[in-house]
Amino acid sequence: EKLITPQTAFTCTGHLFPSRPTIFRCAEIHGTIQLVNAIAESCNVYFYNVGDLLGVDRLASWFHSYGLGQDSGFELPNNNGRMIDLNKLREDPESMRNEARFLGIGEGQIDATPLQMANAYATLLRGGKFIAPRILADAPEVVSQPVTISPEVLAIVKEGMRKCATSGTGKTVFGNFRLPVGGKTGTADDDNRPVFDDAGNPVFDPEKPLKNRDGSPKLGPDGLPMFRQAVEKGTHSWFIGYAPEDQPKFVVLALKEFGGYGATYAAPMVKEALLQLERHGYLPQVDVPK
């Protein structure tokens, strides 16, 4: 959209608004940061600003171009994910702006399946060429070109994802990896993490009683009132990696629900998958014995 350049910089103080430090936060204080390092370091504040510049309409259009919020064409029953309801949102201009900031970091009123996200990255790495995912090798290949990405723009984004693996949020996992890998950590907020006690039994919220349709308390087999299971805020751990970085052949995605930061659980699973691809000869065997 030509709204920023690789040199465009924003200042991250750990949150977007100094007077409202509990919202629009970042995991770190990155200071003044430019695009490539913002990708590598997962700077929320940078992409809150980018989302604000783009607005929800353009963001939703780009998400659709990468296959989000719609049927991927996969052979098995597939969840289409969830895309923001723009018509409903337009009723409140300030909410539109806040939603654009959240969408700038992939949060807000959007959900996507792991398959959709893996294929979105594959579409990006092909320069905007979308191929519907398939299981069977002899299934017809369904190809479209929803967007064309210039080689120069793609090179900038890939540089950020390469740095993510070598010196950014993925460096603790991929820092000593000899196979050139690019990728991106993701940490997705979820307010509905079920709570269990130390014995693994569900914990119920006494302030949220279950009710029948007529409004009367819902009773269990023992005749006592029933309550909703307690929930708490948690984060899903995501990592999407691709290799070889210079000529991508494989995209590998891992998601651990309520696993914390993307580098904590998801990135090691992607690393192990790439090692297996090396062991079996699908990638150059540089990190495993030949």
Side-chain angles (χ1 to χ4, degrees), residues 119-139:
N119 208 38
Y121 272 64
T123 301
L124 169 72
L125 295 167
R126 296 188 199 103
K129 180 181 177 182
F130 181 93
I131 300 177
R134 55 200 171 134
I135 290 178
L136 302 176
D138 59 355

Side-chain angles (χ1 to χ4, degrees), residues 12-23:
C12 171
T13 60
H15 42 259
L16 186 59
F17 302 114
S19 61
R20 302 165 71 187
T22 60
I23 64 170

Side-chain angles (χ1 to χ4, degrees), residues 2-275:
K2 303 188 187 304
L3 296 178
I4 65 170
T5 72
Q7 290 73 44
T8 299
F10 296 102
T11 299
C12 171
T13 60
H15 42 259
L16 186 59
F17 302 114
S19 61
R20 302 165 71 187
T22 60
I23 64 170
F24 295 112
R25 294 173 295 176
C26 192
E28 304 284 345
I29 298 175
H30 295 104
T32 300
I33 190 168
Q34 295 179 332
L35 176 60
V36 168
N37 284 335
I39 295 172
E41 299 292 341
S42 286
C43 178
N44 284 353
V45 169
Y46 192 97
F47 292 102
Y48 289 143
N49 280 287
V50 173
D52 199 6
L53 288 172
L54 282 165
V56 290
D57 289 280
R58 282 188 285 201
L59 281 162
S61 176
W62 279 103
F63 287 146
H64 277 295
S65 295
Y66 286 94
L68 304 184
Q70 55 191 308
D71 187 354
S72 68
F74 194 48
E75 293 108 321
L76 297 178
N78 183 47
N79 190 313
N80 297 344
R82 177 175 66 108
M83 187 60 66
I84 187 170
D85 185 340
L86 294 175
N87 291 327
K88 185 177 181 180
L89 194 65
R90 288 192 182 96
E91 299 172 4
D92 185 348
E94 184 57 30
S95 291
M96 284 189 71
R97 191 169 185 183
N98 285 336
E99 193 64 30
R101 292 166 178 147
F102 282 123
L103 289 176
I105 66 165
E107 294 276 10
Q109 298 178 46
I110 181 173
D111 291 310
T113 68
L115 178 64
Q116 286 179 311
M117 289 305 303
N119 208 38
Y121 272 64
T123 301
L124 169 72
L125 295 167
R126 296 188 199 103
K129 180 181 177 182
F130 181 93
I131 300 177
R134 55 200 171 134
I135 290 178
L136 302 176
D138 59 355
E141 189 176 83
V142 180
V143 181
S144 59
Q145 186 81 28
V147 60
T148 299
I149 306 162
S150 73
E152 294 78 14
V153 169
L154 181 56
I156 293 163
V157 177
K158 286 180 65 180
E159 182 184 356
M161 292 197 287
R162 175 64 178 149
K163 288 191 72 173
C164 171
T166 58
S167 60
T169 53
K171 67 180 179 181
T172 56
V173 178
F174 291 100
N176 62 351
F177 216 56
R178 289 189 291 171
L179 180 75
V181 174
K184 187 71 190 73
T185 51
T187 304
D189 289 331
D190 193 323
D191 294 329
N192 296 300
R193 181 180 184 177
V195 178
F196 297 88
D197 62 21
D198 292 339
N201 300 310
V203 174
F204 296 97
D205 189 340
E207 296 184 1
K208 294 183 178 180
L210 293 176
K211 295 182 179 182
N212 297 310
R213 289 187 177 182
D214 61 3
S216 60
K218 190 170 185 177
L219 305 179
D222 55 5
L224 297 176
M226 298 177 67
F227 299 90
R228 293 187 185 278
Q229 186 172 356
V231 295
E232 62 185 3
K233 187 179 180 67
T235 52
H236 302 313
S237 175
W238 289 78
F239 191 85
I240 306 176
Y242 61 92
E245 192 277 335
D246 51 349
Q247 292 184 315
K249 187 177 180 183
F250 293 97
V251 171
V252 180
L253 180 149
L255 161 67
K256 179 173 175 55
E257 293 182 308
F258 300 111
Y261 287 108
T264 305
Y265 282 102
M269 288 192 282
V270 170
K271 181 179 181 179
E272 181 57 33
L274 293 174
L275 287 170

